[in-house]
Amino acid sequence: MTRVSLIVPCYNAARTLRLCLESVLAQTRVPDEIVVVDDASSDGSPALAEELGCRVVRLPDNRGVSAARNAGVASTTGEVIFFLDSDVALRPDAVAGALAILESDPGVGCVHGVYDTEPLIDDGPVEWYRLLHQVHWRSRHVGEVNSVVFALAAVRREVLAAAGALDESLRDCEDVEYSSRLAVRTRIVLSDAVVGRHDEGHRLLPVLGEQWRRALPLIPLALATARRGAAKPENANSRAGILACALALACLPLALLSPALLAVPVALVGWFVVADPGLLRFVHRERGAGFTAYFMAVHLAVHVVLVAGLAVGSLRVLRPARA
């Protein structure tokens, strides 16, 4: 039988870690070893993990999620590594579902999953925005893909060894960078047979800050992906929506020439709202018309930050070339 090692990177995750680990222990196929890699937490997370019978690997300094995952891989022996974030609780059949796909097709080296439409802990409207956006974009790409999200992902150890360690210099977008190495070595499947409930961010400013940090390296990482010959990763956002937001921002100065020209960016914002009709229908079905209006307002704010981050990231790429 295939030996499975489940790795949970953890940093000050006491709020969700018990729910996460209890879901692992309740699996129809319990992993052969469960390792929590504590990234120098100060909230008692390691003790909680040990209380539940999990082995804890302690990092002396906070080094980020990539270092924690690398340490977990190095300290385990399973033929399949199941990565699980500390803020995700698996459905009872998630590990079995991932294994079934890997065992049925030797050409698939990685299986990752989708989120449930219910949050792990309900913290209000910002969290619902984040969750529904995540659920929608992942669900529409179910099947063979070019990228992996490590929040709930099973990978063959031999594939990880061939692709190399995660880049510990990246605190954000580490999965994007690793996908460009993984996709040229194996087939990757995104499956709705692997499902978890996620505790998303629930305060707007930190969510926007995270979007800014993730946007900055996207252009350099896209160029690196192209150099490796890997296919482009799946988009979390509609390209038409990104373009509409970028054009709306670019056209805002027109209002200085004439107030009537404000109609141009306003029209572009209207285009942004309808650029992804599937997303609109999904959110309306899940939460109704009032929340859909709120969702799109937050979605626009996130896109403004995304576009700004992409622009700054592009300038950082161009600056060395001019030097």
Side-chain angles (χ1 to χ4, degrees):
M1 186 171 66
T2 303
R3 183 173 170 81
V4 180
S5 301
L6 187 138
I7 297 169
V8 180
C10 171
Y11 175 64
N12 288 344
R15 184 171 186 263
T16 58
L17 187 60
R18 180 177 294 276
L19 294 171
C20 169
L21 295 177
E22 287 177 344
S23 78
V24 174
L25 295 169
Q27 290 294 295
T28 58
R29 167 60 165 93
V30 178
D32 299 278
E33 55 182 342
I34 304 167
V35 174
V36 174
V37 183
D38 183 66
D39 196 16
S41 294
S42 58
D43 69 345
S45 293
L48 193 157
E50 289 174 333
E51 175 192 328
L52 292 171
C54 302
R55 180 156 60 92
V56 176
V57 174
R58 289 175 168 84
L59 301 183
D61 304 299
N62 181 259
R63 295 165 51 197
V65 69
S66 293
R69 289 179 179 138
N70 287 337
V73 173
S75 64
T76 55
T77 59
E79 299 144 271
V80 170
I81 306 297
F82 197 114
F83 294 106
L84 179 65
D85 279 1
S86 59
D87 57 4
V88 177
L90 296 173
R91 281 191 188 173
D93 59 352
V95 172
L99 277 178
I101 295 170
L102 292 173
E103 291 173 348
S104 66
D105 190 342
V108 174
C110 174
V111 177
H112 59 118
V114 300
Y115 291 148
D116 197 302
T117 53
E118 294 289 327
L120 182 59
I121 301 171
D122 188 346
D123 291 309
V126 172
E127 179 171 31
W128 277 101
Y129 160 77
R130 291 268 293 170
L131 179 64
L132 292 180
H133 180 246
Q134 290 271 352
V135 170
H136 178 261
W137 85 257
R138 292 196 194 190
S139 297
R140 75 184 183 199
H141 290 302
V142 162
E144 198 160 321
V145 293
N146 302 314
S147 57
V148 57
V149 177
F150 282 112
L152 58 171
V155 192
R156 299 184 196 273
R157 182 179 291 274
E158 61 193 39
V159 170
L160 286 172
L166 282 87
D167 186 343
E168 297 185 9
S169 70
L170 293 174
R171 293 267 179 154
D172 295 284
C173 293
E174 75 289 338
D175 44 4
V176 177
E177 188 278 332
Y178 201 78
S179 294
S180 68
R181 288 187 269 149
L182 200 65
V184 296
R185 290 172 172 84
T186 190
R187 287 161 51 213
I188 303 170
V189 170
L190 173 58
S191 174
D192 54 11
V194 182
V195 181
R197 294 175 65 194
H198 190 205
D199 187 47
E200 286 281 1
H202 60 276
R203 292 181 296 151
L204 184 57
L205 287 181
V207 165
L208 294 178
E210 180 186 353
Q211 179 62 81
W212 171 258
R213 294 191 304 273
R214 287 186 66 84
L216 287 173
L218 284 177
I219 296 300
L221 288 174
L223 294 174
T225 297
R227 285 195 296 270
R228 289 192 177 109
K232 291 181 180 179
E234 289 67 36
N235 292 319
N237 295 292
S238 159
R239 290 176 180 170
I242 295 172
L243 178 60
C245 180
L247 291 174
L249 291 173
C251 291
L252 272 177
L254 291 176
L256 298 175
L257 301 176
S258 169
L261 292 177
L262 187 61
V264 177
V266 169
L268 288 166
V269 169
W271 176 27
F272 168 83
V273 170
V274 299
D276 191 345
L279 177 62
L280 274 176
R281 289 192 296 268
F282 172 72
V283 175
H284 185 271
R285 184 171 66 249
E286 291 291 327
R287 300 287 290 177
F291 184 82
T292 302
Y294 169 84
F295 180 100
M296 292 311 301
V298 177
H299 202 43
L300 178 61
V302 168
H303 272 69
V304 168
V305 174
L306 170 61
V307 168
L310 291 173
V312 171
S314 300
L315 291 175
R316 290 180 179 179
V317 171
L318 294 173
R319 193 176 300 135
R322 291 176 177 174

